[in-house]
Amino acid sequence: MTDRDSHHDDASPDEDRRQSGTSWRESSLRSDGGTEAAGADEAVLDPWGSSTVEDYRKLFDQFGIEEFDDVLPKVPNPHYLMRRGVIFGHRDYDPVADAMHNDDPFASLSGFMPTGDPHIGHKMVFDEIIWHQQQGADAYALIADLEAHAARELSWSEIDEHARSYVLSLLALGFDPEEGELYRQSDNRQLQDLAFELGAETNFSELQAIYDFDGETDVSHMQSVVTQMADILYPQLEEPKPTVIPVGPDQDPHMRLARDLAARMRYFGVTEAFASFEADAAERTLLRRAYDAREEYAEDPAMPRCVEAADWLRAHEPAPADARESVAAKLDNAGKEPIRPRTRILDRNATEAAFEALIEAVDGEKRVYDEHVDAFDLDRAEADELAREVELENGGYGFLPPSSIYHRFMTGLTGGKMSSSIPASHISLLDDPEDGYDKVKSATTGGRTTAEEQREKGGKADECPVYELYAYLLSGDDDDFAEEVYEECVGGERLCGGCKEQAAELMETFLEEHQEKRAEWEEKLDELDIDLDSARKRA
């Protein structure tokens, strides 16, 4: 039996999958996107928009998001969302995985904008925070009430109502408030002080370029961006540590800005150098090649001169011409200065006392300049650790660049994007269990036109919102069950009517159990160290 919005392709997906040699994990939850929402925008990342991402693989090329599959083998006891490819990408998750593996301190944080009831799409983020907490992370969950008021214009009474609901669901799903921290942006003075400091490193033209702000944008909206940057760095206020922010890919602009600000707030930067002059990344690559080739051109290979390296580069490096000519000119100006590898520690924002302390702390051979120190006996990792130690001892933050992981958007039960404004497209965690059952029973599927065709060609699990429910939620940690549902679907053994009936029953049970746990936490909510009734009176 089939459902509305069925598809009519002639080729059998099961046959195609067998012929290509792909497995259930590769086919059903592949990292390049899986289900593509109808009408999705093409690789548009807007933190406040309504766009989905048509092809997740474009994010790897266009925005530098890395494939999570590459780091997955380093993750101890990975969450099922990681194993199934729902978490498809990351930025710099390796330090978090290393900290997890080595039992070193690390943190996880995500925020929730209280603009409506929490639904099953939000549950993914709740689960990711809770899983990291269970792996040993210092876990932080925040209510982004300043953002909700500034960017979505919600009243404080509406924010209070929704914030309470988000917190209850987070707790019911397993967040440990005694081991983690819950806070509201508006009540956290440390956060606001950090936002003020970050604001000094941010300007309007930058926000305009990233978020398309213009002359009509409220100042409070711009302030809310800086507050979010402070949220992302907040877990490192007591000590620098790897920190992961689980988000959807539409939030990546925030992560890129936060990583930039983390670097700007540092007292020192560390890079590679070969002479007293400054060089950019492309120039340093050419300098490395020239140094490595010193046996070919230097009168004394133990002491190759900059002018000798310049002549060699012009003769042996045809491209890129602009970088070659730029670095050759710098080498000419340096004359007979030796070209020699060293680690350079740059003064970015250091106080005079901190820079003096750095000079004192660098052991071995060194050269001291007005705005940097060249160390010849430290590698880059050692120099970075030393610079951070000096910074912390002299009142700096020493931030590590925050990491992020990205999960796929859930498809709405009616097709297209899951949206809080379309009740039939999503299941609220507050829905009556019977209503949740009915919504699943009414959902669009990837089934064929007739039962006979379904048995012959198999269903399209990759395009089925109901199968997503199994993969994202209903199968829980049981990969075998998720695989069984998939294989039966694409093999033609499972028909949509029975599949939806099973999913509807599982959803009804989940909602019943979840709401029972919410009721238990409701009685203990006043004991938590978070004020869910705002003192702000303005509507």
Side-chain angles (χ1 to χ4, degrees), residues 175-237:
F175 185 87
D176 186 345
E178 295 185 1
E179 296 296 324
E181 181 176 344
L182 295 166
Y183 70 86
R184 294 176 66 134
Q185 290 175 327
S186 60
D187 289 341
N188 191 324
R189 183 52 191 266
Q190 275 189 304
L191 174 81
Q192 293 171 36
D193 288 345
L194 176 58
F196 182 84
E197 297 294 334
L198 294 174
E201 295 291 333
T202 315
N203 58 59
F204 173 73
S205 61
E206 181 174 34
L207 298 183
Q208 184 180 39
I210 296 172
Y211 302 111
D212 200 28
F213 288 164
D214 57 29
E216 300 299 315
T217 304
D218 292 339
V219 173
S220 60
H221 192 171
M222 289 184 274
Q223 286 177 313
S224 75
V225 172
V226 182
T227 302
Q228 289 174 79
M229 300 303 102
D231 285 323
I232 292 169
L233 296 174
Y234 178 72
Q236 298 191 59
L237 275 183

Side-chain angles (χ1 to χ4, degrees), residues 7-9 448-458:
H7 300 270
H8 304 276
D9 292 348
R448 300 289 178 172
T449 305
T450 65
E452 290 73 19
E453 186 181 6
Q454 178 98 349
R455 291 190 181 97
E456 177 187 352
K457 297 181 178 180

Side-chain angles (χ1 to χ4, degrees), residues 398-412:
F399 290 134
L400 293 168
S403 307
S404 48
I405 53 176
Y406 301 95
H407 54 256
R408 302 191 307 169
F409 295 115
M410 287 192 78
T411 307

Side-chain angles (χ1 to χ4, degrees), residues 229-412:
M229 300 303 102
D231 285 323
I232 292 169
L233 296 174
Y234 178 72
Q236 298 191 59
L237 275 183
E238 291 188 6
E239 64 169 334
K241 55 193 166 189
T243 301
V244 61
I245 316 297
V247 289
D250 57 333
Q251 301 298 302
D252 185 59
H254 292 325
M255 292 308 307
R256 297 200 302 271
L257 178 57
R259 288 173 63 84
D260 285 347
L261 286 173
R264 291 180 215 169
M265 295 295 288
R266 292 293 309 278
Y267 277 6
F268 305 107
V270 179
T271 189
E272 181 183 37
F274 292 86
S276 59
F277 56 79
E278 296 295 326
D280 62 25
E283 292 171 339
R284 287 196 297 272
T285 297
L286 294 176
L287 287 167
R288 165 58 68 185
R289 291 176 187 166
Y291 178 77
D292 290 343
R294 62 192 180 279
E295 295 283 349
E296 299 179 24
Y297 63 80
E299 181 178 341
D300 178 5
M303 192 68 69
R305 304 294 180 177
C306 286
V307 288
E308 296 175 311
D311 291 340
W312 182 87
L313 278 174
R314 289 191 175 100
H316 293 83
E317 288 292 336
D322 53 349
R324 180 198 64 210
E325 291 305 319
S326 173
V327 75
K330 292 178 180 180
L331 287 165
D332 282 337
N333 289 335
K336 292 187 177 181
E337 177 188 343
I339 179 173
R340 184 181 173 197
R342 77 284 306 271
T343 300
R344 176 160 295 165
I345 308 175
L346 300 159
D347 180 355
R348 284 179 171 165
N349 297 300
T351 62
E352 184 177 346
F355 190 61
E356 291 297 326
L358 174 72
I359 295 169
E360 183 67 25
V362 174
D363 291 330
E365 185 181 357
K366 58 190 170 188
R367 299 285 186 274
V368 178
Y369 301 87
D370 287 343
E371 295 182 349
H372 65 262
V373 178
D374 286 354
F376 293 87
D377 298 321
L378 290 176
D379 63 28
R380 187 164 181 169
E382 293 169 334
D384 195 51
E385 183 177 355
L386 178 65
R388 182 170 283 105
E389 288 176 2
V390 172
E391 179 176 347
L392 292 171
E393 290 170 359
N394 286 270
Y397 294 107
F399 290 134
L400 293 168
S403 307
S404 48
I405 53 176
Y406 301 95
H407 54 256
R408 302 191 307 169
F409 295 115
M410 287 192 78
T411 307

Side-chain angles (χ1 to χ4, degrees), residues 96 144 163 437 467 491:
V96 176
Y437 174 94
Y467 178 69

